[in-house]
């Protein structure tokens, strides 16, 4: 556990009532996170997902959060203003019980990084591309406990280790590095 | 590597149940771009004029536009092309929504259907996995209902579904294909889909769409977004609200319908109600719209909220766009509550919101005039609104008189006879038009109505103001930051254009200017239809964010095909001419290029002849509207010349060409 420290927290306020369901947020998110940047586009890689059911008037943009190796017990339902939501709908986790917030090919977990880049963007791109103002960017000062952030590679490796076991993964890495040398 | 496009089409033979993934020729993309352009090439190559619309040899092509699936704002349209059962010419309606980008993410640019399935089926395209699945349990289901049922059955809430309703299954000539919040409605595409035994095409894709020069492409997208913001904050002054901003006409937002209800015609495009709109009606209609409209919604990757979810009391929710808000209301001399209610049924049945109300009003007019009698309408309710619901049900089931009416006003009037033809008065090339009847000829609109092969005025107009502002100062003000013009001369055309006097309609803009203006307007629509761009951000509004100067850059940076305004114009001319050639090969000639007789009260036959003569020449067509050898050759369409020569199209005498077209000889 780190010590308490004041920190600027980047947040996005989601006003679901303003959402027009266009998914521009998914479009620009996946383009920004492509390598090289903007070289491809694929909403299935987006770190924001719009749950969109127009006939039930459900529009819910959700951001990808932490990876979790295990399913939770959450199977409850919420009714808000007459509209029924799965508990899962609001969850940010990349978890084994569903296929959102995972790379479609490798299955590696995705997580919103607020479009971290150098130099910093003024606002995350999903906010910039949301012309109907369903998404707005807010910075808040919060007291937080410092923690070492996991690097992207580490998050990925952790997911693989959970899936295949650490031993098997180390074996594979060893074999791969051997075959590269040959 | 292919950029912007995937480079693969899905070829599906429904007769044999065969599915193939076929690589396309990148050279075709350079020549015909994609969407409508490459669809036209495929139809030319594979569907000769002898093929009937309901033949297994007719193709039904669903194509994403070239830039669909890239981050280009508003680029989401599916271009559906086939031979129309109503006109026997090429039909190429489009739909917005979410389907085309999803197809790209699944790894395909087009789905090409041929043959006929013996049983009702739906297609399930999930990346590399493509299945033809049984749909007999969906027979008779509504189009919206079908989409919901399929998503549940596949457990794929993110799948995009293009489906037909009962009208398509029963081959109603104005059946639509419904999808997302949009539909491909005009010219009976849904009937061809029903004839092929396909209830729906369902797509889910999770692959990448690549762009050639990423940073450059994104900068272009950002410019477009900035300009959309600017235009939203700066509507065009001095024009009616629906022409002031971007997007399709903002019918779902607007409460004030004075202009439409008093200028468009009611009933079977007959009655103008000049003093219709008053405070009481305004109050009632506002209440109706506010109580039924749940939310304003958009197509894929577009900030313009042109559509809405509508929940009429006691009926399921559906999605509506644009002018279908008023077409049923006005055809039935009713109110908005009726219009929004019957549109729910019409959307589930899957019918065109222009043709369907007009066909029903036409039937009732024949009834009032004794041409159709009580025997033709057994059990029809006495009230007007009840009659519309009753007729709609008969039509989509093809029961009794409904079977006749299901072919549209042109063919129905032929079948009914007894002078019914005079009541099918609002068609161009056998296809129902917007209910507009005006006083004096407008030369620009004359050319658009006469030669627009999409057969819908909204799909050729745009860019150039519909009428001049009263003062020169206002016109100069508009021209000041009008950078979208292809050439500076267009600004002068506008600035000099007066509402009255020497430089006013119908003799100003001059014939030559009219040719320039119509050609620009049409070119924009054709480019949109190849790229998959919505007309609402490009060809339709004044001062749009997409135009002839940034489009070549989008294509260069997006698809990696180097292009400038000239090469883009040349490509658009190429496939526009190919569409013309295709229809010429199916018998279309000069005599078909005409607006409805009564569209304007005051006509100018000599001017109209000069307009058409000059425009044909301008387009590189001969006096029968047939593209000349020289113009075809210049566009690299020598294969068309060869075909025309083989078929003797150039050696027709005047006599031959004025005879009935094959489409007219059709047994009915």
């Amino acid at each position: 556990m780190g010590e308490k420290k004041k920190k600027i927290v980047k947040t996005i306020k989601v006003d679901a009532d303003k959402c027009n369901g266009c998914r521009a947020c998914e479009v620009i998110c996946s383009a920004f996170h492509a390598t090289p940047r903007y070289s491809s586009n694929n909403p299935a890689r987006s770190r924001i997902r719009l749950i969109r059911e127009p006939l039930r008037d459900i529009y819910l943009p959700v951001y990808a959060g932490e990876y979790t190796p295990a399913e939770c017990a959450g199977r409850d339902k919420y009714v808000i203003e007459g509209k029924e939501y799965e508990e899962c709908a609001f969850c940010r986790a990349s978890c084994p019980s569903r296929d959102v917030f995972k790379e479609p090919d490798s299955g590696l977990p995705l997580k919103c990084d607020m479009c971290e880049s150098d130099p910093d963007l003024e606002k995350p791109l999903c906010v910039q591309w949301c012309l109907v103002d369903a998404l707005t960017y807010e910075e808040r000062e919060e007291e937080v406990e410092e923690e070492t952030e996991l690097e992207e590679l580490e998050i990925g490796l952790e997911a693989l280790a959970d899936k295949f076991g650490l031993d098997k993964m180390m074996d594979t890495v060893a074999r791969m590095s051997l075959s590269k040398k040959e | 590597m292919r950029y912007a496009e995937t480079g693969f089409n899905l070829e599906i033979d429904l007769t044999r149940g065969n599915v193939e993934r076929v690589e396309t020729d990148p050279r075709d993309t350079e020549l015909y771009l994609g969407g409508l352009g490459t669809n036209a090439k495929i139809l030319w190559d594979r569907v000769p004029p002898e093929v009937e619309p309901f033949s297994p040899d007719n193709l039904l092509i669903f194509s994403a536009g070239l830039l669909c699936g890239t981050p280009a704002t508003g680029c989401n349209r599916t271009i559906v092309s086939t031979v129309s059962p109503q006109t026997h010419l090429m039909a190429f309606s489009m739909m917005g929504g979410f389907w085309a980008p999803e197809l790209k993410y699944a790894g395909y640019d087009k789905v090409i259907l041929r043959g006929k399935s013996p049983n009702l089926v739906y297609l399930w395209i999930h990346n590399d996995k493509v299945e033809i699945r049984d749909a007999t349990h969906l027979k008779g289901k509504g189009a919206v209902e079908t989409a919901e049922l399929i998503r549940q059955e596949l457990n794929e809430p993110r799948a995009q579904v293009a489906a037909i309703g009962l009208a398509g299954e029963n081959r109603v000539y104005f059946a639509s294909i419904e999808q997302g919040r949009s539909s491909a409605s005009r010219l009976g595409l849904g009937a061809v889909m029903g004839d092929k035994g396909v209830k729906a095409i369902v797509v889910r894709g999770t692959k990448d769409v690549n762009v050639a020069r990423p940073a450059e492409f994104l900068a272009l997208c950002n410019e477009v977004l900035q300009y959309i913001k600017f235009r939203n904050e700066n509507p065009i002054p001095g024009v009616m609200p629906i022409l002031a901003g971007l997007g399709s006409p903002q019918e779902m937002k607007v409460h004030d319908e004075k202009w439409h209800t008093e200028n468009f015609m009611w009933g079977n495009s007959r009655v103008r109600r000049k003093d219709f709109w008053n405070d009481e009606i305004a109050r009632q209609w506002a209440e109706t719209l506010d109580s039924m409209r749940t939310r304003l919604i958009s197509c894929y990757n577009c900030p313009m909220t042109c559509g809405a979810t509508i929940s009429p009391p006691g009926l399921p929710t559906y999605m509506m766009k644009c002018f279908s808000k008023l077409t049923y209301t006005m055809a039935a001399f009713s109110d908005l509550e009726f219009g929004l209610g019957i549109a729910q049924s019409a959307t589930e049945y899957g019918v065109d919101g222009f043709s369907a109300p007009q066909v029903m009003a036409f039937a009732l007019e024949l009834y009032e005039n004794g041409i159709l009698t009580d025997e033709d309408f057994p059990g029809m309710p006495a009230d007007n609104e009840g009659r519309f619901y009753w007729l709609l049900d008969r039509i989509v089931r093809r029961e009794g008189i409904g079977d006749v009416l299901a072919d549209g006003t042109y063919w129905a009037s032929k079948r009914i006879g007894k002078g019914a033809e005079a009541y099918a008065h609002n068609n161009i090339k056998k296809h129902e038009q917007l209910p507009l009847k005006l006083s004096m000829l407008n030369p620009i609109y004359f050319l658009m109505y006469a030669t627009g092969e999409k057969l819908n005025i909204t799909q050729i107009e745009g860019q150039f103001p519909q009428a001049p502002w009263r003062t020169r100062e206002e016109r100069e003000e508009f021209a000041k930051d009008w950078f979208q013009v292809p050439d500076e001369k267009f600004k002068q055309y506008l600035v000099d254009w007066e509402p009255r006097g020497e430089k006013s309609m119908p003799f100003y803009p001059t014939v030559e200017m009219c040719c320039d203006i119509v050609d620009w307007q049409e070119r924009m629509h054709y480019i949109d239809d190849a790229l998959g761009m919505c007309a609402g951000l490009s060809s339709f509004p004044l001062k749009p964010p997409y135009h002839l100067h940034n489009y070549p850059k989008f294509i260069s940076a997006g698809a990696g095909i180097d292009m400038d305004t000239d090469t883009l114009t040349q490509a658009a001319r190429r496939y526009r001419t190919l569409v013309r050639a295709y229809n010429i090969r199916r018998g279309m000639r000069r005599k078909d290029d005409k607006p409805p007789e009564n569209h304007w009260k005051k006509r100018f036959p000599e001017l109209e002849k000069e307009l058409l003569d000059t425009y044909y020449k301008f387009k590189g067509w001969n006096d029968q509207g047939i593209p000349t050898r020289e113009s075809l050759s210049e566009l690299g369409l020598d294969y068309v010349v060869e075909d025309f020569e083989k078929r003797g199209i150039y050696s027709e005498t005047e006599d031959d060409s004025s005879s009935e077209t094959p489409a007219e000889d059709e047994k009915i």
Side-chain angles (χ1 to χ4, degrees):
Chain A
M1 283 287 162
E3 57 186 65
K4 297 239 174 183
K5 205 178 167 186
K6 284 209 167 163
K7 187 178 166 186
I8 298 291
V9 183
K10 298 174 170 182
T11 68
I12 290 166
K13 191 169 102 188
V14 178
D15 186 343
D17 288 341
K18 286 188 180 156
C19 179
N20 61 343
C22 80
R23 297 168 62 195
C25 49
E26 296 183 6
V27 172
I28 193 59
C29 176
S30 74
F32 178 81
H33 290 97
T35 318
R37 198 154 275 181
Y38 308 121
S39 62
S40 70
N41 186 239
N42 179 0
R45 295 190 198 281
S46 169
R47 292 134 196 242
I48 175 169
R49 291 303 162 84
L50 176 63
I51 297 172
R52 177 185 174 278
E53 288 181 46
L55 300 182
R56 298 202 294 132
D57 197 45
I58 286 179
Y59 295 83
L60 192 61
V62 185
Y63 287 88
E66 305 304 322
Y67 162 78
T68 170
E71 288 188 19
C72 71
R75 295 289 185 277
D76 297 337
K77 287 187 172 172
Y78 285 75
V79 179
I80 303 168
E81 287 183 341
K83 294 179 242 174
E84 191 177 283
Y85 299 85
E86 304 281 332
E87 185 177 4
C88 256
F90 299 96
C91 180
R92 301 161 66 96
S94 170
C95 95
S97 70
R98 57 181 191 177
D99 67 354
V100 290
F101 302 141
K102 288 172 190 165
E103 292 282 6
D105 27 29
S106 64
L108 289 171
L110 295 165
K111 185 185 164 189
C112 169
D113 60 359
M114 290 280 183
C115 294
E116 199 174 83
S117 69
D118 189 20
D120 259 350
L121 298 181
E122 188 198 335
K123 295 172 190 169
L125 283 170
C126 53
V127 172
Q128 292 189 35
W129 275 51
C130 183
L131 263 47
V132 295
D133 295 332
L135 308 176
T136 41
Y137 178 67
E138 284 180 358
E139 285 181 355
R140 276 204 303 267
E141 205 182 59
E142 262 181 27
E143 232 176 46
V144 289
E145 277 178 14
E146 275 235 309
E147 218 179 310
T148 354
E149 292 257 342
L150 288 179
E151 292 293 324
E152 197 176 349
L153 177 64
E154 213 173 320
I155 296 170
L157 288 177
E158 213 166 79
L160 287 174
D162 284 328
K163 190 169 179 185
F164 300 105
L166 196 58
D167 286 348
K168 195 166 179 191
M169 198 173 87
M170 285 186 352
D171 281 354
T172 314
V173 172
R175 202 168 53 242
M176 278 166 70
S177 63
L178 211 63
S179 67
K180 283 262 158 57
K181 274 178 201 153
E182 274 167 9
Chain B
M1 184 145 128
R2 304 282 280 266
Y3 296 104
E5 58 180 348
T6 66
F8 290 94
N9 291 341
L10 263 185
E11 294 270 0
I12 299 181
D13 182 339
L14 295 157
T15 309
R16 298 167 32 185
N18 188 50
V19 177
E20 273 175 81
R21 178 173 173 266
V22 179
E23 190 163 3
T24 57
D25 184 350
R27 177 84 189 125
D28 279 345
T29 313
E30 283 171 38
L31 292 172
Y32 307 96
L33 303 183
L36 170 64
T38 36
N39 281 7
K41 177 68 165 67
I42 291 168
L43 286 175
W44 174 273
D45 288 342
R46 292 169 54 183
V47 187
E50 300 75 28
V51 173
E52 297 289 330
F54 291 145
S55 155
D57 295 333
N58 189 12
L59 300 181
L60 180 64
I61 310 173
F62 288 72
S63 180
L66 177 61
L67 297 181
C68 291
T70 72
T73 296
C75 197
N76 51 42
R77 293 184 79 84
T78 309
I79 298 89
V80 189
S81 310
T82 190
V83 179
S84 162
Q86 192 184 37
T87 64
H88 289 236
L89 303 172
M90 189 191 296
F92 47 105
S93 295
M94 310 135 322
M95 53 193 179
F98 295 78
W99 198 90
E102 199 72 33
L103 184 69
K104 284 282 193 72
Y105 301 133
Y108 313 99
D109 299 316
K110 294 183 200 292
V111 179
I112 304 171
L113 305 180
R114 66 176 190 274
K116 280 189 200 196
S117 166
N119 305 105
L120 196 63
V121 294
Y122 75 87
L123 308 177
W124 168 223
I125 302 165
H126 187 190
N127 294 328
D128 295 336
K129 191 186 78 185
V130 181
E131 293 173 16
I132 302 176
R133 295 173 66 111
D134 179 58
T136 43
H137 60 301
L138 298 169
K139 196 168 162 44
K141 299 279 187 216
V144 183
E145 195 186 359
T146 296
E148 286 303 299
L149 288 169
I150 291 177
R151 280 196 200 98
Q152 282 168 20
E153 145 179 342
L154 296 171
N155 194 22
E156 283 283 350
R158 286 167 187 275
Q160 302 299 336
V161 183
I164 54 170
L166 202 50
E169 286 180 38
N170 288 329
R171 307 197 308 181
V172 172
Y173 284 11
F174 42 92
S176 61
I177 300 167
E178 301 283 330
Q179 176 263 139
R181 56 154 291 275
S182 193
S183 62
S185 294
R186 304 291 276 157
L187 293 159
L189 301 162
V192 176
M193 188 156 158
D195 181 63
K196 298 210 170 295
V198 176
K199 181 70 178 172
I201 309 183
V202 188
V203 191
R204 172 73 180 134
T206 59
K207 298 193 201 182
D208 300 342
V209 169
N210 301 299
V211 295
R213 300 202 288 273
E216 199 181 321
F217 193 81
L218 232 287
L220 289 164
C221 293
N222 281 324
E223 267 173 38
V224 161
L225 274 184
Q226 289 311 314
Y227 192 69
I228 290 173
K229 274 195 218 167
F230 169 81
R231 282 286 281 103
N232 287 348
E233 287 155 14
N234 295 277
I236 309 281
V239 296
M240 64 179 127
I242 60 165
L243 294 177
L246 299 174
S248 319
Q250 299 292 296
E251 282 297 298
M252 297 298 109
K253 278 182 203 146
V254 168
H255 285 103
D256 183 354
E257 289 293 359
K258 181 178 168 64
W259 187 77
H260 276 129
T261 53
E262 296 189 350
N263 287 287
F264 281 57
M265 308 303 267
W266 294 67
N268 181 25
S269 192
R270 292 289 190 193
V271 182
R272 187 162 166 199
R273 298 167 87 179
K274 277 188 181 164
D275 300 311
F276 173 78
W277 196 251
N278 59 37
D279 288 349
E280 180 50 24
I281 291 173
R283 193 192 58 75
Q284 276 175 13
W285 287 31
E287 203 181 293
T288 302
L289 189 60
D290 290 342
S291 68
M292 293 193 196
R293 185 185 58 197
T294 330
R295 187 184 292 246
L296 292 169
I297 56 172
S298 301
C299 295
Y300 183 74
N301 192 22
C302 181
M304 307 308 301
T305 44
C306 310
T309 33
I310 304 283
S311 309
L315 293 172
T317 299
Y318 69 103
M319 290 172 266
M320 171 178 263
K321 67 269 160 191
C322 216
F323 196 53
S324 48
K325 175 185 173 187
L326 294 186
T327 52
Y328 292 96
T329 296
M330 290 179 69
F333 292 96
S334 186
D335 57 18
L336 189 60
E337 192 179 346
F338 163 77
L340 296 182
I342 195 168
Q344 191 275 329
S345 307
T347 305
E348 287 287 12
Y349 286 148
V351 287
D352 175 21
F354 283 177
S355 287
Q358 201 162 128
V359 169
M360 296 190 278
F362 157 85
L364 292 176
E365 208 181 50
L366 291 178
Y367 179 58
E368 280 156 26
N369 287 280
I371 294 174
L372 292 175
T373 63
D374 284 328
E375 281 172 32
D376 297 304
F377 301 98
M380 182 169 74
D383 65 302
N384 217 26
E385 294 163 357
R387 285 173 170 180
F388 266 71
Y389 276 105
W390 186 88
L391 279 168
L392 184 60
D393 274 355
R394 301 284 91 68
I395 288 170
V396 299
R397 297 189 162 79
R398 279 193 175 272
E399 284 171 8
I401 192 67
D403 184 44
V404 179
L405 296 171
D407 292 351
T409 58
Y410 175 87
W411 296 108
S413 73
K414 295 247 167 201
R415 224 161 121 181
I416 294 164
K418 296 184 255 178
E421 285 93 339
Y423 296 81
H425 68 103
N426 199 35
N427 297 332
I428 297 176
K429 301 180 175 86
K430 309 180 181 72
H431 188 52
E432 292 81 12
Q433 300 297 310
L434 262 183
L436 264 172
K437 300 291 162 192
L438 302 164
S439 52
M440 192 181 65
L441 177 89
N442 175 326
I444 301 171
Y445 273 75
F446 170 81
L447 280 180
M448 291 195 291
Y449 275 117
T451 63
E453 275 162 79
K454 232 155 140 191
L455 306 187
N456 204 70
I457 196 64
T458 58
Q459 297 298 320
I460 183 169
E461 66 183 346
Q463 306 296 325
F464 204 81
Q466 295 190 4
W469 282 267
R470 209 169 46 81
T471 66
R472 193 176 180 89
E473 289 69 42
E474 285 172 289
R475 300 193 294 271
E476 279 170 350
E477 184 60 29
F478 179 84
K480 224 164 49 186
D481 61 352
W482 197 14
F483 59 83
Q484 289 87 350
V485 290
D487 187 290
E488 289 296 303
K489 68 185 177 188
F490 287 90
K491 293 184 180 174
Q492 202 58 45
Y493 294 175
L494 176 71
V495 169
D496 292 341
W497 189 15
E498 304 274 355
R500 268 173 202 87
E502 201 187 317
K503 290 203 165 169
S504 74
M505 296 222 261
F507 297 106
Y508 190 95
T510 65
V511 170
E512 282 73 24
M513 292 174 190
C514 287
C515 291
D516 280 336
I517 293 166
V518 172
D519 181 67
W520 172 28
Q521 305 192 102
E522 184 183 71
R523 198 189 323 162
M524 285 301 295
H525 281 278
Y526 272 78
I527 295 171
D528 288 349
D529 295 354
L531 303 185
M533 186 59 69
C534 175
L537 289 178
S538 175
S539 42
F540 188 78
L542 299 165
K543 296 187 177 171
Y546 292 100
H547 42 81
L548 291 168
H549 309 296
N550 64 359
Y551 260 156
K553 295 181 193 167
F554 267 96
I555 298 170
S556 304
I561 300 167
D562 280 327
M563 221 163 243
D564 57 26
T565 306
D566 290 341
T567 44
L568 175 60
T569 293
Q570 184 77 344
R573 274 188 64 202
R574 182 176 298 116
Y575 58 82
R576 194 276 168 261
T577 308
L578 191 59
V579 170
R580 182 87 192 170
Y582 188 80
N583 288 333
I584 290 289
R585 197 167 75 163
R586 294 194 78 94
M588 188 185 78
R589 294 294 181 272
R590 181 180 184 126
K591 65 180 171 50
D592 301 300
D593 280 347
K594 57 177 190 219
E597 287 302 330
N598 59 1
H599 187 78
W600 294 282
K601 244 187 226 126
K602 205 164 167 206
R603 299 287 290 260
F604 296 79
E606 277 173 35
L607 173 63
E608 290 173 22
K609 183 178 180 303
E610 194 193 340
L611 279 163
L612 213 51
D613 284 344
T614 315
Y615 189 65
Y616 279 180
K617 225 169 264 160
F618 178 95
K619 290 292 234 189
W621 306 342
N622 71 17
D623 63 357
Q624 277 305 311
I626 303 168
T628 62
R629 290 182 179 87
E630 297 71 32
S631 67
L632 287 166
S633 196
E634 191 209 325
L635 295 166
L637 298 175
D638 297 286
Y639 58 87
V640 175
V641 178
E642 213 173 285
D643 187 84
F644 277 4
E645 276 170 353
K646 208 171 68 196
R647 292 177 190 275
I649 285 172
Y650 285 127
S651 49
E652 279 169 6
T653 63
E654 279 292 309
D655 244 19
D656 290 341
S657 56
S658 65
S659 73
E660 296 283 84
T661 62
E664 305 254 9
D665 292 336
E666 182 73 3
K667 280 193 197 74
I668 49 170

